[in-house]
Structure formats: structure tokens, C-alpha cells
Amino acid sequence: MRVALVNPPWDYRNSIYFGCREPHLPLELGYGAALLASAGHDTLTVDAHLEGLSAEEAARRVAAFGPGMTVVATAPTYLFWRCAPPELRVPRAFLDALGTAGGRTVAVGPHGSATPRPALEKLGCDAVVRGECEEILPLLAGTDDLARVPALAYRRADGTSAVTGGPHASRFTDLPALRWPDAWIARHRHHHHRFDGEPDGPGAEVEASRGCPYTCSFCAKIDFRDAYRRRDLGILLDEIDGLIAQGVTYLYFVDEIFLPQAPLLDALAARDIRFGIQTRIDLWKPDMLDRLGAAGCVSIEAGVESLTEKGRAALDKRCRASTDDLAERLIRARKTVPFVQANLIAVAGDDPGMVAAWRERLRAQGVWANDPVPLYPYPSSPDYRRLWGEPDDEAWERAHAHYLGQFERFSDIQEERPLPLRELEAACGCR
Ligand code: SF4
């Protein structure tokens, strides 16, 4: 079968989305295309975001390929599945532009993973994959009987919907080394979350591990990227060496939690490459932080969240370090890593004066700590389930209204006032 895989042209106007707006490599589509190809299918991957295409241009390119199946992502790459735009207007606009020219239409992403039926309805597609999608796509391409494919919601011939099972978790460890077109890498000038200097060459995203052994209350990963898995180091280094050969000078590891791994750090140290990570600083001993910096790490984003042990316990962080220990490790990391950020979130009971003083203390040592931001209770997070139970068909609307009503001010990166979900989706065919 001919299969098209599409990252649509993301547009974040009036969205609560607070992630990075630059294009990043669509790893989930890359793995999907690789597994489809090894199962004998022909694939075309279109990244409208990276390639600067409109929905109509992307649809024309897909239609010219003549696929029997078209896959579209509902989040801007795996990097942002945990904080995706709640609205589905962008993938829906692409599907509307495509019409019937894409064959069977399939959506992949966090929306269908948590709430399959509303995702199916809002997108008007034929099927949505629940959970990590790459291993499910070859099964879909290999059958006409969708009832036999696991982790799926699909539309029956009579228009009703059916769900074949819960979200899928990929094996992940042996996902193949990804190769990207030279033209894509040349366009990828963005160095994600890097602030120590201007890009000196193309950037790229890679994945050394997936999932996380913790269950912080605010973290949207119950339905995907949950259990911790580490990718085979030989495969990962093969991918990294391919990227370096294409001129890449900076890698961003999309791993939920980049844990200390001496063989990987040694391998990175032996290569001419800089990189950025997100992690928990309490899991790094001082000597490993030094090794991380020596390996070429230039950006650390570390979730501290609350500045009190009580606050961190309320968020179920299971953090054994004291707030002073955390500060010490951040400062230690900053000795060898030029940009270190402590992420804070708005936690009831954290004293604003204490937060301001802590931020100032760290800033004096070169460590950036953000102004605490409110949390969005994503349907795949424990917080959502604590508030309202299992997600139902109104889960995203409920989470959205709660978020908009919770705080009067928003993160300073949200330039426009976020709109209610129904308004955001009203402009497209979602409603
Ligand atoms: S440590 Fe990070 S990735 Fe893991 S559950 Fe907590 S917030 Fe999520």
C-alpha cells in the first residue's frame, strides 16, 4: 500500500499551547515510515510545518502520491505529546483540504489516545490510533478489517464508532535509526531550548529513551510514553552519526527524562556535537553532572516544580532531595553547562516572596528559574483523573474551561488571550 504521513502546518493563535512553536523533526512519523517500509509499503512523509507548506499545498502533495492511507499527527511531534494544543483545528483543516484524495484517513497523537471517540468525530477521519503509533501503522496498512487492529478507534460502515482496545506502548528499544532528507535538515536551523549562542549549523531531535518511571500528578503520559524504555545504543549512535554527517551541530533529546547513562555520555563526548536535555536534577550525582557538561550538553531543563517538600509531595514528585540540595545540583550543573533552567509551576501554598527570593538566588549563580506557570489538567494526567475521573467525551472541553478559569494571568509566552475550546474549533469543521 502507498501510505502518506503528514505533520500539518501548526498554527497556535489563541491556543493555550505553551510549547515551542518552531518546527521539530516528526519522530513518530519517521519511525512509522521506517516500519511501514520494512513491511513492504511505499511511503511519503510531508512535514508541512518544517517545509513551510499550507494545508492545501500539503494536501495537493499527498493527493499526487495517490495513497491508500494517510496518517496525520494531532500534536507537533513526540516532543509535545505531553503538552499538545488541545484543539484539533489544524489536523482537521488538513483533512478537509485533502478530502477523499488520501484514501483511508488515520489520526495519531495524544487526543485519540485519551479520548478516541471525540477525536474521531472532531477530525472526521476513518480511524485514530491510541497510544504510541509506529508499530500500529503497518498493521493498519496490512488489513481491510480494522476490527482486528489493536489500539484503534474507527468508524464502522454504518457511521457508528468502535474501539478495539486501550493505548499501545511500542517496544521502542529496537526502533530503527532514522534518516531524514538533506533538504529537511538544511531547513532545520532551530536549536531547541538552546540559549548559549546562535545556531552554528542545523539542529535535530533524537530519542535515547522513552517514558519515565515517575507519575507526577500533572504529567500527561498515562496513555502514551509512560513506561521507561531505553533505545539500543548502537542504533541511536548510528542515527546520530548520520545526522552529524548531514551537518547537524546540535541535538535535542526528546526523552521525557534523560537519565544518567555513562556509555551514551562517553559516546557523545567522543563526537563533535552539542546537545540539550530535560531531566530531573535530583537523579544526577555531582560527578555525573560534570560528565554531562563534558559530553557537550549546553542546555538542561529540570523540573523542580515546587520549592517546598510539601508542595513537591502534593505533586507526587517522589523527590528525595531537599530544596537546598536541588539548588546545589543546579548550580553544580551550571559550572559546565551554559544554560540550566529550573522549571517551576504555580502550586497553591508556595509563598510568592520565597519563590522570588529563590529565583533571584539562582539567577545570581547563572541558573534560570521561570515565573511559576499554571498547569493544564491534560486528560492523560493523574490530575485530570483526580478531579473528574476517567476522561469522557467532554474531557478536553472540561480541562480547558478549568484551565481558563483557574488563573487570571497566563504565561508570558502566551501573547494572545487563549480562547475556549469550542471557539477555537468552531472555525474549522470540528464542530
Ligand atoms: S519526572 Fe517528568 S516525565 Fe516523569 S512523570 Fe514527572 S514530570 Fe513526567
PDB file of all heavy atoms in Angstrom, residues 301-330:
ATOM      1  N   GLU A 301      16.902  21.442  31.061  1.00  0.00           N
ATOM      2  CA  GLU A 301      15.626  21.907  31.604  1.00  0.00           C
ATOM      3  C   GLU A 301      15.261  20.904  32.688  1.00  0.00           C
ATOM      4  O   GLU A 301      15.079  19.719  32.393  1.00  0.00           O
ATOM      5  CB  GLU A 301      14.578  21.926  30.504  1.00  0.00           C
ATOM      6  CG  GLU A 301      13.329  22.668  30.853  1.00  0.00           C
ATOM      7  CD  GLU A 301      12.350  22.713  29.683  1.00  0.00           C
ATOM      8  OE1 GLU A 301      12.693  22.215  28.596  1.00  0.00           O
ATOM      9  OE2 GLU A 301      11.262  23.234  29.882  1.00  0.00           O
ATOM     10  N   ALA A 302      15.203  21.357  33.925  1.00  0.00           N
ATOM     11  CA  ALA A 302      14.999  20.434  35.042  1.00  0.00           C
ATOM     12  C   ALA A 302      13.719  20.795  35.775  1.00  0.00           C
ATOM     13  O   ALA A 302      13.538  21.943  36.202  1.00  0.00           O
ATOM     14  CB  ALA A 302      16.191  20.495  35.993  1.00  0.00           C
ATOM     15  N   GLY A 303      12.845  19.810  35.929  1.00  0.00           N
ATOM     16  CA  GLY A 303      11.583  20.054  36.620  1.00  0.00           C
ATOM     17  C   GLY A 303      11.784  20.057  38.129  1.00  0.00           C
ATOM     18  O   GLY A 303      12.031  19.017  38.724  1.00  0.00           O
ATOM     19  N   VAL A 304      11.692  21.238  38.730  1.00  0.00           N
ATOM     20  CA  VAL A 304      11.742  21.351  40.190  1.00  0.00           C
ATOM     21  C   VAL A 304      10.311  21.488  40.712  1.00  0.00           C
ATOM     22  O   VAL A 304       9.949  20.955  41.741  1.00  0.00           O
ATOM     23  CB  VAL A 304      12.608  22.559  40.604  1.00  0.00           C
ATOM     24  CG1 VAL A 304      12.482  22.845  42.088  1.00  0.00           C
ATOM     25  CG2 VAL A 304      14.068  22.288  40.241  1.00  0.00           C
ATOM     26  N   GLU A 305       9.521  22.248  39.985  1.00  0.00           N
ATOM     27  CA  GLU A 305       8.072  22.425  40.181  1.00  0.00           C
ATOM     28  C   GLU A 305       7.730  23.251  41.407  1.00  0.00           C
ATOM     29  O   GLU A 305       7.226  24.355  41.287  1.00  0.00           O
ATOM     30  CB  GLU A 305       7.292  21.098  40.206  1.00  0.00           C
ATOM     31  CG  GLU A 305       7.825  19.926  39.403  1.00  0.00           C
ATOM     32  CD  GLU A 305       8.071  20.131  37.941  1.00  0.00           C
ATOM     33  OE1 GLU A 305       7.807  21.236  37.422  1.00  0.00           O
ATOM     34  OE2 GLU A 305       8.580  19.198  37.268  1.00  0.00           O
ATOM     35  N   SER A 306       7.965  22.715  42.620  1.00  0.00           N
ATOM     36  CA  SER A 306       7.618  23.467  43.835  1.00  0.00           C
ATOM     37  C   SER A 306       8.865  23.629  44.694  1.00  0.00           C
ATOM     38  O   SER A 306       9.748  22.768  44.689  1.00  0.00           O
ATOM     39  CB  SER A 306       6.551  22.699  44.628  1.00  0.00           C
ATOM     40  OG  SER A 306       6.416  23.257  45.936  1.00  0.00           O
ATOM     41  N   LEU A 307       8.907  24.713  45.456  1.00  0.00           N
ATOM     42  CA  LEU A 307      10.092  24.972  46.281  1.00  0.00           C
ATOM     43  C   LEU A 307       9.929  24.482  47.712  1.00  0.00           C
ATOM     44  O   LEU A 307      10.763  24.776  48.564  1.00  0.00           O
ATOM     45  CB  LEU A 307      10.418  26.473  46.264  1.00  0.00           C
ATOM     46  CG  LEU A 307      10.799  26.991  44.873  1.00  0.00           C
ATOM     47  CD1 LEU A 307      11.179  28.460  44.936  1.00  0.00           C
ATOM     48  CD2 LEU A 307      11.932  26.167  44.283  1.00  0.00           C
ATOM     49  N   THR A 308       8.863  23.759  47.975  1.00  0.00           N
ATOM     50  CA  THR A 308       8.726  23.152  49.306  1.00  0.00           C
ATOM     51  C   THR A 308       8.583  21.650  49.144  1.00  0.00           C
ATOM     52  O   THR A 308       8.046  21.158  48.139  1.00  0.00           O
ATOM     53  CB  THR A 308       7.485  23.679  50.058  1.00  0.00           C
ATOM     54  OG1 THR A 308       6.317  23.259  49.357  1.00  0.00           O
ATOM     55  CG2 THR A 308       7.505  25.191  50.184  1.00  0.00           C
ATOM     56  N   GLU A 309       9.073  20.929  50.145  1.00  0.00           N
ATOM     57  CA  GLU A 309       8.947  19.467  50.082  1.00  0.00           C
ATOM     58  C   GLU A 309       7.481  19.060  50.097  1.00  0.00           C
ATOM     59  O   GLU A 309       7.073  18.111  49.424  1.00  0.00           O
ATOM     60  CB  GLU A 309       9.726  18.835  51.244  1.00  0.00           C
ATOM     61  CG  GLU A 309      11.230  19.000  51.027  1.00  0.00           C
ATOM     62  CD  GLU A 309      12.096  18.418  52.121  1.00  0.00           C
ATOM     63  OE1 GLU A 309      11.655  17.458  52.780  1.00  0.00           O
ATOM     64  OE2 GLU A 309      13.217  18.924  52.301  1.00  0.00           O
ATOM     65  N   LYS A 310       6.681  19.851  50.833  1.00  0.00           N
ATOM     66  CA  LYS A 310       5.250  19.579  50.881  1.00  0.00           C
ATOM     67  C   LYS A 310       4.613  19.766  49.498  1.00  0.00           C
ATOM     68  O   LYS A 310       3.795  18.952  49.056  1.00  0.00           O
ATOM     69  CB  LYS A 310       4.605  20.540  51.898  1.00  0.00           C
ATOM     70  CG  LYS A 310       3.242  20.118  52.362  1.00  0.00           C
ATOM     71  CD  LYS A 310       2.810  21.016  53.512  1.00  0.00           C
ATOM     72  CE  LYS A 310       1.290  21.012  53.578  1.00  0.00           C
ATOM     73  NZ  LYS A 310       0.756  22.215  54.157  1.00  0.00           N
ATOM     74  N   GLY A 311       5.019  20.846  48.838  1.00  0.00           N
ATOM     75  CA  GLY A 311       4.483  21.115  47.502  1.00  0.00           C
ATOM     76  C   GLY A 311       4.876  20.027  46.521  1.00  0.00           C
ATOM     77  O   GLY A 311       4.056  19.566  45.718  1.00  0.00           O
ATOM     78  N   ARG A 312       6.142  19.581  46.579  1.00  0.00           N
ATOM     79  CA  ARG A 312       6.581  18.529  45.662  1.00  0.00           C
ATOM     80  C   ARG A 312       5.857  17.215  45.978  1.00  0.00           C
ATOM     81  O   ARG A 312       5.514  16.456  45.075  1.00  0.00           O
ATOM     82  CB  ARG A 312       8.105  18.351  45.730  1.00  0.00           C
ATOM     83  CG  ARG A 312       8.860  19.538  45.128  1.00  0.00           C
ATOM     84  CD  ARG A 312      10.325  19.229  44.903  1.00  0.00           C
ATOM     85  NE  ARG A 312      11.081  19.049  46.123  1.00  0.00           N
ATOM     86  CZ  ARG A 312      11.575  20.023  46.886  1.00  0.00           C
ATOM     87  NH1 ARG A 312      11.383  21.286  46.525  1.00  0.00           N
ATOM     88  NH2 ARG A 312      12.251  19.765  47.980  1.00  0.00           N
ATOM     89  N   ALA A 313       5.617  16.978  47.260  1.00  0.00           N
ATOM     90  CA  ALA A 313       4.887  15.746  47.630  1.00  0.00           C
ATOM     91  C   ALA A 313       3.449  15.829  47.109  1.00  0.00           C
ATOM     92  O   ALA A 313       2.901  14.830  46.627  1.00  0.00           O
ATOM     93  CB  ALA A 313       4.911  15.563  49.135  1.00  0.00           C
ATOM     94  N   ALA A 314       2.844  17.021  47.175  1.00  0.00           N
ATOM     95  CA  ALA A 314       1.469  17.178  46.678  1.00  0.00           C
ATOM     96  C   ALA A 314       1.391  16.894  45.183  1.00  0.00           C
ATOM     97  O   ALA A 314       0.354  16.466  44.674  1.00  0.00           O
ATOM     98  CB  ALA A 314       0.959  18.582  46.987  1.00  0.00           C
ATOM     99  N   LEU A 315       2.491  17.150  44.485  1.00  0.00           N
ATOM    100  CA  LEU A 315       2.533  16.871  43.046  1.00  0.00           C
ATOM    101  C   LEU A 315       3.002  15.443  42.759  1.00  0.00           C
ATOM    102  O   LEU A 315       3.210  15.076  41.605  1.00  0.00           O
ATOM    103  CB  LEU A 315       3.487  17.854  42.353  1.00  0.00           C
ATOM    104  CG  LEU A 315       3.080  19.322  42.419  1.00  0.00           C
ATOM    105  CD1 LEU A 315       4.239  20.217  41.988  1.00  0.00           C
ATOM    106  CD2 LEU A 315       1.864  19.580  41.547  1.00  0.00           C
ATOM    107  N   ASP A 316       3.198  14.685  43.825  1.00  0.00           N
ATOM    108  CA  ASP A 316       3.615  13.282  43.704  1.00  0.00           C
ATOM    109  C   ASP A 316       4.948  13.143  42.982  1.00  0.00           C
ATOM    110  O   ASP A 316       5.158  12.216  42.194  1.00  0.00           O
ATOM    111  CB  ASP A 316       2.520  12.484  42.960  1.00  0.00           C
ATOM    112  CG  ASP A 316       2.466  11.034  43.429  1.00  0.00           C
ATOM    113  OD1 ASP A 316       3.170  10.709  44.406  1.00  0.00           O
ATOM    114  OD2 ASP A 316       1.754  10.243  42.807  1.00  0.00           O
ATOM    115  N   LYS A 317       5.856  14.070  43.266  1.00  0.00           N
ATOM    116  CA  LYS A 317       7.161  14.053  42.584  1.00  0.00           C
ATOM    117  C   LYS A 317       8.062  12.919  43.069  1.00  0.00           C
ATOM    118  O   LYS A 317       9.040  12.573  42.407  1.00  0.00           O
ATOM    119  CB  LYS A 317       7.903  15.381  42.831  1.00  0.00           C
ATOM    120  CG  LYS A 317       7.360  16.573  42.089  1.00  0.00           C
ATOM    121  CD  LYS A 317       7.830  16.644  40.651  1.00  0.00           C
ATOM    122  CE  LYS A 317       9.312  16.883  40.494  1.00  0.00           C
ATOM    123  NZ  LYS A 317       9.720  16.965  39.082  1.00  0.00           N
ATOM    124  N   ARG A 318       7.812  12.434  44.257  1.00  0.00           N
ATOM    125  CA  ARG A 318       8.688  11.412  44.861  1.00  0.00           C
ATOM    126  C   ARG A 318      10.154  11.859  44.794  1.00  0.00           C
ATOM    127  O   ARG A 318      11.047  11.132  44.364  1.00  0.00           O
ATOM    128  CB  ARG A 318       8.501  10.056  44.186  1.00  0.00           C
ATOM    129  CG  ARG A 318       7.163   9.428  44.566  1.00  0.00           C
ATOM    130  CD  ARG A 318       7.136   7.944  44.246  1.00  0.00           C
ATOM    131  NE  ARG A 318       6.901   7.708  42.832  1.00  0.00           N
ATOM    132  CZ  ARG A 318       7.541   6.809  42.086  1.00  0.00           C
ATOM    133  NH1 ARG A 318       8.481   6.059  42.613  1.00  0.00           N
ATOM    134  NH2 ARG A 318       7.247   6.650  40.829  1.00  0.00           N
ATOM    135  N   CYS A 319      10.361  13.091  45.244  1.00  0.00           N
ATOM    136  CA  CYS A 319      11.704  13.691  45.213  1.00  0.00           C
ATOM    137  C   CYS A 319      12.316  13.570  46.601  1.00  0.00           C
ATOM    138  O   CYS A 319      11.751  14.078  47.567  1.00  0.00           O
ATOM    139  CB  CYS A 319      11.579  15.155  44.779  1.00  0.00           C
ATOM    140  SG  CYS A 319      13.116  16.066  44.842  1.00  0.00           S
ATOM    141  N   ARG A 320      13.477  12.917  46.668  1.00  0.00           N
ATOM    142  CA  ARG A 320      14.088  12.708  47.976  1.00  0.00           C
ATOM    143  C   ARG A 320      14.992  13.874  48.377  1.00  0.00           C
ATOM    144  O   ARG A 320      15.382  13.986  49.532  1.00  0.00           O
ATOM    145  CB  ARG A 320      14.925  11.429  47.953  1.00  0.00           C
ATOM    146  CG  ARG A 320      14.074  10.185  47.747  1.00  0.00           C
ATOM    147  CD  ARG A 320      14.691   8.992  48.473  1.00  0.00           C
ATOM    148  NE  ARG A 320      14.044   7.751  48.068  1.00  0.00           N
ATOM    149  CZ  ARG A 320      14.625   6.835  47.301  1.00  0.00           C
ATOM    150  NH1 ARG A 320      15.858   6.989  46.905  1.00  0.00           N
ATOM    151  NH2 ARG A 320      13.964   5.743  46.965  1.00  0.00           N
ATOM    152  N   ALA A 321      15.337  14.721  47.438  1.00  0.00           N
ATOM    153  CA  ALA A 321      16.275  15.811  47.737  1.00  0.00           C
ATOM    154  C   ALA A 321      15.552  16.983  48.391  1.00  0.00           C
ATOM    155  O   ALA A 321      14.372  17.231  48.132  1.00  0.00           O
ATOM    156  CB  ALA A 321      16.945  16.261  46.445  1.00  0.00           C
ATOM    157  N   SER A 322      16.273  17.717  49.227  1.00  0.00           N
ATOM    158  CA  SER A 322      15.716  18.943  49.804  1.00  0.00           C
ATOM    159  C   SER A 322      15.802  20.060  48.762  1.00  0.00           C
ATOM    160  O   SER A 322      16.506  19.935  47.746  1.00  0.00           O
ATOM    161  CB  SER A 322      16.527  19.336  51.040  1.00  0.00           C
ATOM    162  OG  SER A 322      17.817  19.739  50.621  1.00  0.00           O
ATOM    163  N   THR A 323      15.116  21.166  49.025  1.00  0.00           N
ATOM    164  CA  THR A 323      15.160  22.290  48.082  1.00  0.00           C
ATOM    165  C   THR A 323      16.588  22.829  47.985  1.00  0.00           C
ATOM    166  O   THR A 323      17.048  23.203  46.892  1.00  0.00           O
ATOM    167  CB  THR A 323      14.177  23.387  48.534  1.00  0.00           C
ATOM    168  OG1 THR A 323      12.875  22.789  48.662  1.00  0.00           O
ATOM    169  CG2 THR A 323      14.115  24.518  47.534  1.00  0.00           C
ATOM    170  N   ASP A 324      17.317  22.834  49.095  1.00  0.00           N
ATOM    171  CA  ASP A 324      18.716  23.292  49.046  1.00  0.00           C
ATOM    172  C   ASP A 324      19.575  22.353  48.205  1.00  0.00           C
ATOM    173  O   ASP A 324      20.443  22.800  47.446  1.00  0.00           O
ATOM    174  CB  ASP A 324      19.292  23.397  50.464  1.00  0.00           C
ATOM    175  CG  ASP A 324      18.844  24.682  51.145  1.00  0.00           C
ATOM    176  OD1 ASP A 324      18.341  25.577  50.427  1.00  0.00           O
ATOM    177  OD2 ASP A 324      18.985  24.780  52.369  1.00  0.00           O
ATOM    178  N   ASP A 325      19.340  21.047  48.352  1.00  0.00           N
ATOM    179  CA  ASP A 325      20.093  20.074  47.533  1.00  0.00           C
ATOM    180  C   ASP A 325      19.837  20.314  46.047  1.00  0.00           C
ATOM    181  O   ASP A 325      20.757  20.252  45.219  1.00  0.00           O
ATOM    182  CB  ASP A 325      19.650  18.640  47.859  1.00  0.00           C
ATOM    183  CG  ASP A 325      20.221  18.159  49.174  1.00  0.00           C
ATOM    184  OD1 ASP A 325      21.185  18.784  49.655  1.00  0.00           O
ATOM    185  OD2 ASP A 325      19.681  17.171  49.718  1.00  0.00           O
ATOM    186  N   LEU A 326      18.568  20.562  45.715  1.00  0.00           N
ATOM    187  CA  LEU A 326      18.227  20.803  44.312  1.00  0.00           C
ATOM    188  C   LEU A 326      18.969  22.027  43.796  1.00  0.00           C
ATOM    189  O   LEU A 326      19.532  22.019  42.692  1.00  0.00           O
ATOM    190  CB  LEU A 326      16.714  20.978  44.149  1.00  0.00           C
ATOM    191  CG  LEU A 326      15.852  19.749  44.461  1.00  0.00           C
ATOM    192  CD1 LEU A 326      14.372  20.104  44.441  1.00  0.00           C
ATOM    193  CD2 LEU A 326      16.135  18.630  43.449  1.00  0.00           C
ATOM    194  N   ALA A 327      18.976  23.089  44.614  1.00  0.00           N
ATOM    195  CA  ALA A 327      19.676  24.313  44.201  1.00  0.00           C
ATOM    196  C   ALA A 327      21.171  24.036  44.006  1.00  0.00           C
ATOM    197  O   ALA A 327      21.770  24.481  43.014  1.00  0.00           O
ATOM    198  CB  ALA A 327      19.466  25.397  45.253  1.00  0.00           C
ATOM    199  N   GLU A 328      21.752  23.273  44.914  1.00  0.00           N
ATOM    200  CA  GLU A 328      23.181  22.953  44.804  1.00  0.00           C
ATOM    201  C   GLU A 328      23.481  22.211  43.505  1.00  0.00           C
ATOM    202  O   GLU A 328      24.475  22.470  42.834  1.00  0.00           O
ATOM    203  CB  GLU A 328      23.626  22.093  45.989  1.00  0.00           C
ATOM    204  CG  GLU A 328      23.695  22.829  47.319  1.00  0.00           C
ATOM    205  CD  GLU A 328      24.593  24.049  47.235  1.00  0.00           C
ATOM    206  OE1 GLU A 328      25.677  23.933  46.654  1.00  0.00           O
ATOM    207  OE2 GLU A 328      24.180  25.122  47.705  1.00  0.00           O
ATOM    208  N   ARG A 329      22.622  21.268  43.164  1.00  0.00           N
ATOM    209  CA  ARG A 329      22.882  20.481  41.941  1.00  0.00           C
ATOM    210  C   ARG A 329      22.693  21.326  40.686  1.00  0.00           C
ATOM    211  O   ARG A 329      23.429  21.177  39.706  1.00  0.00           O
ATOM    212  CB  ARG A 329      21.981  19.252  41.905  1.00  0.00           C
ATOM    213  CG  ARG A 329      22.431  18.249  42.940  1.00  0.00           C
ATOM    214  CD  ARG A 329      21.790  16.908  42.817  1.00  0.00           C
ATOM    215  NE  ARG A 329      21.743  16.296  44.131  1.00  0.00           N
ATOM    216  CZ  ARG A 329      21.390  15.055  44.363  1.00  0.00           C
ATOM    217  NH1 ARG A 329      21.040  14.277  43.375  1.00  0.00           N
ATOM    218  NH2 ARG A 329      21.364  14.579  45.581  1.00  0.00           N
ATOM    219  N   LEU A 330      21.704  22.204  40.713  1.00  0.00           N
ATOM    220  CA  LEU A 330      21.525  23.095  39.559  1.00  0.00           C
ATOM    221  C   LEU A 330      22.761  23.973  39.376  1.00  0.00           C
ATOM    222  O   LEU A 330      23.248  24.183  38.253  1.00  0.00           O
ATOM    223  CB  LEU A 330      20.275  23.960  39.760  1.00  0.00           C
ATOM    224  CG  LEU A 330      18.932  23.213  39.677  1.00  0.00           C
ATOM    225  CD1 LEU A 330      17.819  24.030  40.316  1.00  0.00           C
ATOM    226  CD2 LEU A 330      18.587  22.895  38.218  1.00  0.00           C
TER     227      LEU A 330
END
